[in-house]
Amino acid sequence: MTVFRISEAAELLGVSVDTVRRWVDAGRLPATRDEHDHRIVDGVDLAQFVRAQGTEPDGRADGSSARNRLRGIVTAVVKDTVMAQVDIQAGPFRIVSLMSREAVDELDLQVGSVAIAVIKSTTVVVERSTPAVANKGRNSS
């Protein structure tokens, strides 16, 4: 069983340690204590919590087969005569999209705009996290 310290859960969720502590104190996120009396969160409980928190950032999700929607801020727009590159920072993630210049102009995408990156792909590479983030060694068995 994978467990996470409060600080590791906060890092994975992209929130502060204090926020995770408040969620635990309010009973929203289950936690127990380890042998050193540190609060720990079971990986399954953390996954269920995150899934329950998931909301669609706009109303178009029901009309789309794409489920990977990341809301962020446009950090760069580079246009040439036909194509454009748009960089979006969504939490700790940088998303780079290549699209037509016409689409960028129609959406009025500018640095500082809020945008939603909708990702639909038949290929998704999944890698295991490093032991520094996912503690395989902490077993409560």
Side-chain angles (χ1 to χ4, degrees), residues 2-138:
T2 302
V3 297
F4 300 94
R5 289 186 177 173
I6 296 295
S7 61
E8 294 165 331
E11 180 183 343
L12 286 169
L13 298 175
V15 298
S16 72
V17 171
D18 288 338
T19 297
V20 175
R21 284 190 184 119
R22 283 192 295 274
W23 289 337
V24 169
D25 291 344
R28 293 180 59 197
L29 179 61
T32 57
R33 299 226 177 235
D34 66 10
E35 64 276 4
H36 303 291
D37 205 33
H38 295 122
R39 287 192 266 192
I40 55 173
V41 178
D42 178 72
V44 172
D45 291 336
L46 185 60
Q48 289 173 344
F49 176 80
V50 169
R51 188 172 190 115
Q53 301 309 305
T55 58
E56 297 298 338
D58 67 11
R60 292 186 236 159
D62 292 336
S64 173
S65 64
R67 295 293 178 247
N68 303 307
R69 307 170 75 79
L70 303 170
R71 187 172 189 261
I73 188 166
V74 175
T75 58
V77 177
V78 178
K79 299 188 236 180
D80 68 15
T81 55
V82 177
M83 296 299 294
Q85 175 181 317
V86 177
D87 292 19
I88 299 172
Q89 192 69 36
F93 306 106
R94 176 179 175 237
I95 296 115
V96 178
S97 178
L98 301 177
M99 64 182 77
S100 70
R101 178 189 179 116
E102 180 181 10
V104 170
D105 292 342
E106 284 179 8
L107 292 170
D108 193 27
L109 294 176
Q110 302 172 21
V111 172
S113 300
V114 174
I116 298 168
V118 180
I119 302 160
K120 177 74 175 183
S121 177
T122 57
T123 303
V124 176
V125 177
V126 177
E127 299 175 343
R128 290 285 305 218
S129 181
T130 61
V133 174
N135 291 299
K136 294 185 275 184
R138 287 198 192 120

